[in-house]
Amino acid sequence: MTTSTGLDRDTLDLMLSSLDEFLAQNLPESRRLDLDLDDTCPEETVRAMCGEDLGVHLVFVPEEYGGLGGGAFDSYRICERMARTDIGVATAVFATFLGSDPILVGATPEQRKEWLGRIAEQGVLFAYGATEPEAGSDLGALTTTATPVETDGRVTGYRLSGRKQWISNGSIADVTTILALAPGGPSWFVVERGTPGFSAAPPEDKHGIRLSNTAALFLDDVLVPADNLVGRVEGRGLVQAQQVFGYTRVMVAAFGLGGGWEALDRAVAYSTNRIQGGTPLAGKQGYTHKLIVPYVARLEAARAFLEETCARLDAGHGADGALNTEGAIAKYLATEAGNAAAEAAIQAHGGYGYTRPYQVEKIKRDVRITTIYEGTSEILEMTIARDRWQQHLKTAGRYHRDLARELAGLPATTGAPAAALALDCLAAVLDACRAGRLTRSQHVLLRLGELIAYAESAGALARRAAAAAAGTLPEKADRRFSPAALAAISRVTARDAALKVAEEGLRWVVGANSLADPAAALPLDEVRAAQAGLLADMDAIADALYDRTSPLEAASS
């Protein structure tokens, strides 16, 4: 995995503007609706995106193999932008990056040069063949086999047999990386389209992302050369898969952001022109504060955590899967927020939201998959909870309390005090779970994963608001909101996190019939008092969305 900081700002901006222009010309709304209705992947458009017409694929390929060497931050910005147009098409492009990941992290130098070079030079499409019908997210339960073929006592090839399910680009990919069980353990193999015995089923008839190609793959005694074993050593497949989760999951998180924001922006535009009772919906607090503002806060909390994680990946902190939990938190927050925002956007359009021409029902169907692929939300909750539980135990309960103390130096206007309160409450809830041995309950463990994600993202958003106020946001960071508006979003998020962690944490500890009572350790009165000012901050967020001058903006200018 490259540890460079990726593209410079000008190159990234040029790629984003070129991407917008290409998609507007080649995938206008009318064509997207027709393709969605027909359940057709626009393969020629995807190939043009990954060819000389656009070259978006070059961002994901290191410079030494002919690419642009984009970093995690660049990939997130581009994935979000693609998703705002169509998550299905974005998935088709992402599948090539995902499919080449085992090569990037585990291949020999010669294998990287050959296969990554072909992506850069020829724009070949990849697929990632890991999931199986009976294994789902459990890669360790795979049944596809790789039987060595020996010639004169030397392994010269492998015969692959088995089935893969839900494979993006399954029937259009030129090359597929296949995870199979070799004698030495799970291993990745490169299989080219057209290899005898390798075939694809008809594309799946899916609920959403109908502009992507998803198909089952069949391997019937498929013979591949020994050189197609990634890394030329058996048994490293699961390690290689784990190494990239932190990276690939932030890309899917970007899909959640893109889909959620596209849906919200359509609702904002609709409410500006829709008149009810003599005034636009945009001026009605009951509309904006229920159907728009809460989802702005959730999406931007996810963005804050996502951008921090991308910055750490680009700084080289994600080697050997070290940031897998951070990637899980980013994906969990952004995809759940994007799915919820799209649902709210349908409601915000009323009856029109339920019709095809307004697009939001399609966005909702598309964004729904982001909570499933690359790790379901439930798998992510488990991943988050297990890792942070171990951190809590190893640090004698200081892990989240230390995170809270780190927020102490930030201005109160950023929401840092309430975010710190959320983290302190989380530590108290985890203490009660330890005393009552409550993590033996799988449901409690999963609910802890949710609370951890909310609390940690509140801290990330407070740091982001402080950086915006100080003018120190990363060069390539999203800058949609002014520092004052971002601070208001952070305060709303922090209040919500503190209340959620305290009240729901208490609920699950008591609900588990534990003798441990965290109520005395939870500053419930402080949490409730911290809600003061909530409505004014929601007003300020609505004003920022609709380009209205709010009292908070006026006071800060």
Side-chain angles (χ1 to χ4, degrees), residues 301-309 326 329-330 333 388 456-457 460:
R303 185 189 302 282
F305 198 93
L306 173 57
E307 289 198 347
E308 281 194 350
T309 302
E326 284 72 14
I329 293 173
L333 290 166
R388 295 306 196 240
E456 293 194 22
S457 68

Side-chain angles (χ1 to χ4, degrees), residues 98-99 101-103 105 126-133 135-147 158-165 167 175-191 198 217-219 224 228-230 233-242 244-245 374:
L98 180 62
D101 263 345
I103 296 169
V105 302
F126 265 70
Y128 184 78
T131 306
E132 296 188 355
S137 297
D138 184 7
L139 297 185
L142 80 161
T143 59
T144 298
T145 58
T147 304
Y158 289 84
R159 293 192 178 277
L160 309 182
S161 295
R163 179 179 174 182
K164 298 296 179 179
Q165 189 75 31
I167 307 304
V175 183
T176 304
T177 44
I178 296 290
L179 185 64
L181 188 61
S187 309
W188 288 100
F189 296 86
V190 179
V191 183
F198 184 44
L217 300 177
F218 302 100
L219 298 109
V224 297
N228 287 26
L229 167 62
V230 174
V233 177
E234 296 178 5
R236 295 182 178 177
L238 296 186
V239 172
Q240 290 161 354
Q242 287 289 332
V244 298
F245 273 149
E374 270 304 280

Side-chain angles (χ1 to χ4, degrees), residues 293-363:
V293 171
Y295 305 98
V296 171
R298 288 185 62 179
L299 286 167
E300 289 308 297
R303 185 189 302 282
F305 198 93
L306 173 57
E307 289 198 347
E308 281 194 350
T309 302
C310 287
R312 293 179 65 188
L313 285 167
D314 285 341
H317 298 165
D320 300 324
L323 293 180
N324 280 357
T325 301
E326 284 72 14
I329 293 173
K331 180 187 181 294
Y332 176 73
L333 290 166
T335 60
E336 288 289 328
N339 188 51
E343 176 73 24
I346 293 177
Q347 191 75 10
H349 281 77
Y352 292 108
Y354 210 61
T355 63
R356 294 180 62 248
Y358 282 76
Q359 293 269 355
V360 288
E361 68 84 27
K362 176 186 179 299
I363 295 171

Side-chain angles (χ1 to χ4, degrees), residues 7 23 26 41 102 120 157 173 185 207 225 244 248 285 320 333 347 362 365 371 387 396 407 412 458 464 479 489:
L7 311 181
L23 292 173
N26 292 275
C41 171
H207 174 66
V244 298
T248 58
Q285 196 183 65
D320 300 324
L333 290 166
Q347 191 75 10
K362 176 186 179 299
R365 286 187 286 108
T371 68
D387 179 79
L407 298 176
R464 191 170 196 269
R479 284 175 167 80
I489 295 170

Side-chain angles (χ1 to χ4, degrees), residues 69-143:
F73 222 105
D74 305 309
S75 300
Y76 130 66
R77 294 295 309 278
I78 288 168
C79 283
E80 181 185 7
R81 191 66 62 88
M82 288 192 296
R84 290 201 62 136
T85 296
D86 191 273
I87 295 175
V89 170
T91 297
V93 175
F94 171 71
T96 286
F97 169 64
L98 180 62
S100 65
D101 263 345
I103 296 169
L104 183 63
V105 302
T108 65
E110 294 77 16
Q111 288 174 327
R112 289 194 188 100
K113 182 177 180 180
E114 177 182 356
W115 298 106
L116 299 180
R118 283 182 60 182
I119 294 174
E121 296 168 12
Q122 303 171 26
V124 298
L125 300 184
F126 265 70
Y128 184 78
T131 306
E132 296 188 355
E134 303 301 324
S137 297
D138 184 7
L139 297 185
L142 80 161
T143 59

